[in-house]
Structure formats: structure tokens, C-alpha cells
Amino acid sequence: MVIFPGGTGVSGLEVYGWEAADGCHGGSPHLHTACTEGYVVVAGQGELQTLTPAGYTCVPLRPGTVAWFTPGTVHRAVNHGGLRVLVVMQNAGLPEAGDAVLTFPPEVLGDADAYRTAATLDPGDPEGSARRRRDLAVAGFQILRDHLTRGDPEPLFDLYRQAAELVRPQAAAWRDIVAAGPAAALAATSRQIDALVAGDGGHLREAEVRKLDAPAPEDRAFGMCGRLETYRLA
């Protein structure tokens, strides 16, 4: 099996242009519990709004910008016009397995069934339910941002505790995903270096090229931040 570099995931993202209650156009604020995520901006203009214990920040996004953020960073992609991003995700497969947690209000985050209901899209109305999910996440985001700007990080720490509890039932299974992806890529590189130190370049004879085309427009999913073109790399 040929693993994509580093066991990462790659998706094309067209950030939602939907207006939220605060006048910003964009997607659903959320965090990742075990993955670092990177944005490579390929078109348009926008900003990345983030919340961490250090406070609220806003990173301008324009073509050529590369921004990345570690687990626990609450992030919200805001579209100022035509914003398209190439998303590079650590630990390919983990976000799809539940690594991401949306910033719903505390009463929803504290009830696993209520959270699952609010986070799940309605197959009969994917766009409408994606909008409702976004609006609920923005409501929670605003609470967090307001407290942080007043110097109070406790609601953010509460979110971290609730997020850890939400993902706890499935977290053990993530070890297999990491073992098959980034850990396997690291092990393969270690073997190749050992071989080269010994003067053995036999693995170079296994050289090959792989290619995937972009998914068809009708196959783009309604993701948390926008319409997704997910490349199935494994």
C-alpha cells in the first residue's frame, strides 16, 4: 500500500457563503481533539477566526496563505468572497471517525444524544440541516468569544472537558487509524533510512506514481466549513 505523504488527508474546500446571525459568511466553528489541520488558500479572500486559551485571533486569508492550527483550536472559516482552500489534515480518517467537535451551546454539548442529533445532517435536507448546524455552532462560538475577550477562559475549558467526554467512547479505535496511516509512513521511512545507511537502495526499484482526480461537483459533501471535495487516498 502506498500511503499519501505522512498519512495526511487532503480535501478541497469551498467555504460557505451563508450569512450567520453576526453578519459573517462562513462555516461551523469547531475544534479537533487529536489532529492538526492546515489551510492552503488557493482562491478568494476571507479570514480564520480562532479561539485558544491565549484569546481570540483573526488570521486574514488570501491566495498563497498557509495557516495551520493544533488540537483544541476552535476555528471558523469566514468567506469574504470566493474563498477556496486546500485542507491538509493530520491523521487521515480521524476527523471522519469523530475527532471534530462543534461549538454548540453548553447544554447541547453536555448531552451526547442532543449533540449527535444537532450534528447529524438530514439526508432529505442536507443544505438546510447544514445551515441549522452552522447557526447553532456560531451561537456557542459567540459565547466563548465574548468570555475570552473579557479575559475569562473558563467556558473554553468547559468546552474542552465536554469535547473529551463526547469523543471518549470512540477514541480507542483511533489507534488503528493512526497505526495504518502516519505510524506506518514513519516506519517505512525508518526502514528506508536503515537500508540506505547499509548501502542498500533496493526499495528504489519499487517506485510508482498514483493519481486521483477531483470528485464530481455533485459528489461534494456538506462539510462543517463548506462544500468538500474529499480525496479518498486509502
Side-chain angles (χ1 to χ4, degrees):
M1 178 178 67
V2 177
I3 299 172
F4 195 76
T8 55
V10 177
S11 299
L13 172 65
E14 181 182 358
V15 178
Y16 293 133
W18 307 331
E19 185 175 4
D22 62 356
C24 292
H25 298 73
S28 305
H30 63 283
L31 62 83
H32 295 280
T33 58
C35 295
T36 291
E37 181 176 3
Y39 280 5
V40 181
V41 182
V42 296
Q45 303 287 331
E47 61 188 50
L48 179 68
Q49 299 180 354
T50 66
L51 306 176
T52 69
Y56 168 73
T57 61
C58 184
V59 178
L61 300 177
R62 58 180 182 270
T65 298
V66 177
W68 65 98
F69 36 91
T70 60
T73 303
V74 176
H75 52 285
R76 178 192 187 190
V78 175
N79 190 349
H80 292 168
L83 183 60
R84 290 186 58 86
V85 175
L86 185 69
V87 178
V88 181
M89 182 68 69
Q90 184 186 24
N91 305 319
L94 249 61
E96 295 82 358
D99 157 72
V101 174
L102 291 143
T103 58
F104 294 150
E107 63 272 18
V108 179
L109 288 166
D111 183 328
D113 290 336
Y115 177 86
R116 185 164 47 251
T117 297
T120 302
L121 298 184
D122 179 358
D125 183 21
E127 180 173 339
S129 54
R131 284 175 178 263
R132 291 188 291 273
R133 179 175 70 179
R134 189 282 308 271
D135 291 342
L136 190 61
V138 167
F141 178 85
Q142 289 176 307
I143 295 171
L144 296 168
R145 182 175 58 190
D146 290 345
H147 278 270
L148 276 174
T149 55
R150 296 198 299 267
D152 177 16
E154 285 305 316
L156 180 64
F157 295 155
D158 287 339
L159 167 63
Y160 290 163
R161 287 188 285 269
Q162 291 174 311
E165 187 62 26
L166 282 169
V167 304
R168 184 163 65 96
Q170 62 263 33
W174 296 351
R175 297 184 187 278
D176 293 336
I177 296 174
V178 172
L186 177 60
T189 300
S190 295
R191 290 193 299 270
Q192 291 164 358
I193 292 173
D194 288 343
L196 292 168
V197 169
D200 178 6
H203 63 280
L204 302 177
R205 299 183 183 185
E206 301 170 5
E208 59 179 295
V209 176
R210 297 287 183 92
K211 179 183 80 73
L212 286 175
D213 293 323
E218 61 270 19
D219 293 333
R220 295 186 305 162
F222 285 90
M224 291 184 178
C225 294
R227 297 301 298 271
L228 281 175
E229 299 170 340
T230 302
Y231 291 84
R232 304 298 179 185
L233 301 172

